[in-house]
Amino acid sequence: MDKLRIRGGRRLNGEIAIAGAKNAALPELCAALLTAEPVTLANVPKLHDVQTMLKLLRVMGVATRPSESSEDALVLDAGRIVSREAPYDLVKTMRASILVLGPLLARFGEARVSLPGGCAIGTRPVDQHIKGLQAMGADIVVEHGYIIARAERLKGARITTDMVTVTGTENLLMAATLADGETVLENAAQEPEVPDLAEMLIAMGARIEGHGTSRIRIEGVRELHGVSHRVVPDRIEAGTFLCAVAAAGGDVVLRGARADHLEAVIDKLREAGASIEAGDGWVRVASDGKLRAVSFRTSEYPAFPTDMQAQLMAVDCIGEGSASIAETIFESRFNHIPELMRLGARIEVDGRVALVQGTPRLSGATVMATDLRASAGLVIAGLVADGETIVDRIYHLDRGYDRMEVKLRELGADIERLR
């Protein structure tokens, strides 16, 4: 099992390119199911989750090949679908696999999709997908671990989800593009990946208004056509590198990053003492590594993202003073705290609130990644810790970051992958 070995204490300098967003690429790959014509996606990140989604689509009969236009572009052709099923063996490794449900049902009138691994209907957002599709006239049963859905043709409906759910919004948005009549999605997610998907669908012939707000209107059409689309830059990768430079010190330009997607993160890093400036297609961060601990609370976009909580917590661990961190989105997103404490961090947990007391130094140790963003937080802590830090179970990291250790090494970090 791969590990990262980090020898801390080096400043980061230079520039790197930010990859396409995982959370935009995954639904946009699924959107290829909505048309029989080829779809070309550029700026597709080289991630384990992307490969898993491509494997799932190929099982269904989607032909995929590299595009001749760019090394980071793919062509997908769903003209000859042979299966409308997403089997458990593939879905269990990635919750985003549920995103094939809406497109399959909308175009083919049926779908059989395994419940994502570890999912309990009624307590996780997948029940909002089902509720919305049922409101559009789908006949859905859940049996033997599968969602089995049928509909001669989906009908437009007004759908209000019980919670803000990004994948739920995306699934229902894709399904509504081929429904009969108007669909209105209330309480829709506003994360940048949602309007990016909507813009792709509009370019395919969909009629969509209000994307990027909490109320999206979709007028269904009979069919969609092929498209060439560029995946929006990954705001979480960019935010992670902003935190890494702020903590380690240095001066780095992130090419391709969009500051308008990172306002909550940038505001907190500036409050902590980092210098950040931005222009069209770039963000620059500079820091002397002497920071103040800052309090924050995660919430839905445009508030501070839960996917950046572990990374900014790592920054707070070496900041002057103390900070309160409230996690409001996921109940189990403090699993990285015991590992940060192995490095010398001073953190107390009270329910969904973490109280961080900054310390002037961390000490290298062996730590274990518990999830994707926790991995990134531990890497940041390792960059500033004295001595050697080993981050184990980095397969989590590979799910969401395109060659993180390579990019950090280009900036001057002493980091290597151990196999």
Side-chain angles (χ1 to χ4, degrees), residues 11-298:
R11 294 168 68 85
L12 304 178
N13 293 284
E15 66 175 62
I16 54 171
I18 296 302
K22 175 183 83 112
N23 291 336
L26 295 178
E28 287 165 6
L29 289 169
C30 294
L33 291 167
L34 290 166
T35 178
E37 297 182 9
V39 168
T40 300
L41 283 180
N43 202 30
V44 178
K46 296 177 176 63
L47 304 173
H48 187 269
D49 276 7
V50 168
Q51 293 306 312
T52 300
M53 184 64 80
L54 288 171
K55 185 176 181 181
L56 173 59
L57 293 174
R58 290 185 190 113
V59 165
M60 295 177 179
V62 178
T64 67
R65 60 178 173 82
S67 171
E68 297 177 357
S69 62
S70 172
E71 67 176 17
D72 64 4
L74 293 172
V75 179
L76 300 97
D77 188 339
R80 296 184 178 180
I81 295 298
V82 297
S83 172
R84 288 93 186 256
E85 177 175 329
Y88 172 71
D89 284 348
L90 290 173
V91 174
K92 69 179 180 181
T93 63
M94 184 179 64
R95 294 186 57 82
S97 303
I98 193 71
L99 287 164
V100 302
L101 177 61
L104 285 174
L105 186 57
R107 182 174 163 209
F108 300 104
E110 61 179 350
R112 187 172 187 266
V113 179
S114 172
L115 290 171
C119 180
I121 290 292
T123 61
R124 297 297 295 270
V126 71
D127 69 319
Q128 301 302 302
H129 303 232
I130 295 174
K131 172 186 172 182
L133 291 170
Q134 287 175 326
M136 298 171 72
D139 178 18
I140 300 178
V141 296
V142 179
E143 60 183 18
H144 307 300
Y146 278 81
I147 302 168
I148 302 171
R150 295 182 178 86
E152 185 172 336
R153 188 181 181 194
L154 294 174
K155 308 291 184 183
R158 182 178 296 275
I159 302 167
T160 303
T161 54
D162 297 335
M163 64 189 76
V164 177
T165 161
V166 175
T167 54
T169 298
E170 292 165 340
N171 228 344
L172 298 174
L173 173 62
M174 289 188 283
T177 61
L178 296 179
D180 183 17
E182 181 183 85
T183 298
V184 179
L185 303 181
E186 304 280 6
N187 202 28
Q190 301 176 55
E191 277 76 357
E193 296 79 18
V194 174
D196 192 56
L197 171 63
E199 289 297 327
M200 174 185 174
L201 295 170
I202 290 169
M204 295 171 70
R207 299 173 182 171
I208 303 171
E209 297 177 353
H211 44 296
T213 75
S214 62
R215 186 174 187 269
I216 305 176
R217 291 180 61 253
I218 309 103
E219 183 68 33
V221 298
R222 292 299 302 182
E223 62 180 14
L224 298 177
H225 53 72
V227 69
S228 292
H229 178 77
R230 184 172 181 81
V231 178
V232 70
D234 195 321
R235 61 194 171 96
I236 305 302
E237 183 191 28
T240 298
F241 278 101
L242 290 178
C243 286
V245 179
D251 190 335
V252 171
V253 174
L254 306 179
R255 297 293 178 191
R258 289 186 52 169
D260 58 326
H261 292 171
L262 287 161
E263 290 180 353
V265 175
I266 289 173
D267 285 348
K268 285 299 173 182
L269 287 174
R270 283 175 173 159
E271 183 182 338
S275 173
I276 300 175
E277 56 182 352
D280 185 14
W282 60 272
V283 177
R284 179 184 178 189
V285 54
S287 169
D288 60 7
K290 298 176 181 178
L291 304 172
R292 297 178 294 275
V294 293
S295 297
F296 64 96
R297 177 180 184 272
T298 67

Side-chain angles (χ1 to χ4, degrees), residues 329-346:
I329 306 297
F330 292 118
E331 66 274 12
S332 300
R333 206 146 207 188
F334 281 160
N335 292 334
H336 49 282
I337 290 179
E339 303 304 304
L340 287 172
M341 293 175 69
R342 285 180 52 79
L343 298 172
R346 299 163 61 188

Side-chain angles (χ1 to χ4, degrees), residues 379-402:
V379 169
I380 292 170
L383 291 172
V384 300
D386 294 338
E388 182 176 279
T389 297
I390 301 293
V391 182
D392 202 355
R393 296 177 65 181
I394 60 166
Y395 61 84
H396 291 295
L397 197 72
D398 294 335
R399 289 184 49 234
Y401 291 93
D402 184 354

